[in-house]
Amino acid sequence: MAIKLICIDMDGTLLMDDHQVSEVDQAAIKAAVKQGVHVAITTGRVYNCARLYAKTIGLTTPIIASNGAFIGGTNGETIYENPLLIEDVRDFLEITTQHGLLAYLTANFGLISLQELPETNLYKQLNKMLKEDEQIQLVVLSSLDEIYGHYEGQILKGVCLAPNQDILNEVKAEIKAKCPHLEVVSSWKNNFEVMKKGSSKGEAVKQLTKYFNLTPDEVMCIGDSENDLSMIQFAGVGVAMGNATEDVKQAAQFITTSNKEGGVANAIEHFVLNQK
């Protein structure tokens, strides 16, 4: 069956290591769109950030952001959202704080934290390259009460960063055990992220599949990390990047080249452009 919806992860997949989309990937995406295929950015990043990339490429398909906790149109309209409850936020912050780990929260507009984030933070680095009116908001508050009082219903995800894999795995396991009401996945080797139960890229792709009145067989998903597993398992065609984790490669039907080698373009050419 022909592919009619392509869902593409950003970091480690669509983006090269300099956070740019290669010309070859852009060309393949535009060729697929020209054939009538819907192409959706499907990311753990905040919506406002993902929308910048969608506009740069010229995409009009709704965007899946915050690991599936939000689906929004490219003009800013909300299609689906599943924000964290205040008790979810409290549980996440209490456990990560007890372990002395850096944690922050995300909303569509940007990040919320109780301490200044390091200069190495992805969004701080990205803001240096963006125009002032495009920059991702980085809000630093002085207390948990401020978070609860001002951002209830807007917080979509919590992110925890750990200095080494052992500590990361320990705290990740603790949150999974103590907070069964949370989804817990990693998007990078030094982090884990929490969303409200039911939020995942796989569930969001399922929602988007229904939105376009398609079947899973008509969907291709491309990714590289643990948070991509659910959508790769849902799709009729699950594609792992050449730089993907081993569990993602094992779950995929096809392994393409790396994000540095036009892996997205190679997958699109193989399953879409060469199937005319």
Side-chain angles (χ1 to χ4, degrees):
M1 188 173 289
I3 297 298
K4 297 180 181 177
L5 170 64
I6 305 172
C7 296
I8 309 173
D9 169 54
M10 285 180 64
D11 292 287
T13 302
L14 180 61
L15 302 184
M16 298 182 292
D17 293 350
D18 62 358
H19 305 295
Q20 301 298 315
V21 183
S22 70
E23 290 184 8
V24 67
D25 283 349
Q26 288 198 48
I29 288 169
K30 289 175 180 178
V33 170
K34 191 173 181 179
Q35 285 188 198
V37 178
H38 303 287
V39 178
I41 286 178
T42 308
T43 182
R45 291 198 190 194
V46 301
Y47 169 76
N48 279 5
C49 177
R51 184 166 62 161
L52 290 175
Y53 283 92
K55 287 187 174 182
T56 297
I57 301 170
L59 298 178
T60 57
T61 303
I63 295 160
I64 295 173
S66 295
N67 284 336
F70 186 83
I71 304 175
T74 53
N75 292 321
E77 64 273 27
T78 297
I79 293 172
Y80 169 83
E81 61 183 339
N82 191 27
L84 288 165
L85 301 175
I86 289 302
E87 48 266 39
D88 299 332
V89 174
R90 184 180 293 112
D91 289 345
F92 169 70
L93 291 178
E94 283 182 354
I95 292 172
T96 54
T97 300
Q98 285 169 6
H99 289 271
L101 298 181
L102 175 63
Y104 59 84
L105 308 169
T106 76
N108 280 334
F109 59 80
L111 277 55
I112 305 162
S113 65
L114 295 175
Q115 57 183 297
E116 191 70 36
L117 297 174
E119 289 303 313
T120 54
N121 177 267
L122 167 69
Y123 295 101
K124 278 198 168 185
Q125 293 296 313
L126 185 62
N127 277 349
K128 294 176 182 178
M129 300 183 286
L130 296 174
K131 299 175 184 176
E132 188 172 347
D133 62 347
E134 294 177 335
Q135 291 183 355
I136 308 305
Q137 292 184 49
L138 306 174
V139 179
V140 181
L141 301 178
S142 59
S143 72
L144 290 176
D145 288 340
E146 285 188 86
I147 296 174
Y148 305 149
H150 294 95
Y151 297 102
E152 185 170 2
Q154 297 183 56
I155 299 169
L156 296 165
K157 192 178 74 170
V159 180
C160 176
L161 302 173
N164 65 62
Q165 200 67 44
D166 290 339
I167 294 174
L168 181 76
N169 291 339
E170 177 187 343
V171 180
K172 187 177 178 182
E174 181 179 342
I175 286 187
K176 283 185 174 182
K178 292 182 177 179
C179 307
H181 49 290
L182 295 176
E183 299 281 357
V184 186
V185 295
S186 292
S187 64
W188 203 248
K189 58 186 177 182
N190 69 337
N191 82 356
F192 68 83
E193 305 176 353
V194 303
M195 293 75 60
K196 187 178 178 183
K197 201 72 176 177
S199 290
S200 70
K201 288 189 179 183
E203 283 298 317
V205 172
K206 183 178 180 180
Q207 293 274 352
L208 207 54
T209 301
K210 290 180 179 178
Y211 179 86
F212 287 117
N213 195 28
L214 302 174
T215 65
D217 286 345
E218 297 172 296
V219 179
M220 178 168 75
C221 292
I222 312 173
D224 72 303
S225 296
E226 182 186 23
N227 64 334
D228 300 314
L229 266 174
S230 60
M231 72 173 184
I232 284 173
Q233 291 167 339
F234 169 82
V237 177
V239 177
M241 299 297 291
N243 53 287
T245 58
E246 194 56 39
D247 54 350
V248 172
K249 288 180 178 179
Q250 290 178 4
Q253 286 82 45
F254 182 79
I255 300 175
T256 186
T257 49
S258 76
N259 63 322
K260 299 177 184 179
E261 303 168 302
V264 167
N266 289 337
I268 292 174
E269 288 166 3
H270 183 81
F271 288 103
V272 179
L273 303 182
N274 291 338
Q275 302 300 313
K276 292 188 288 184

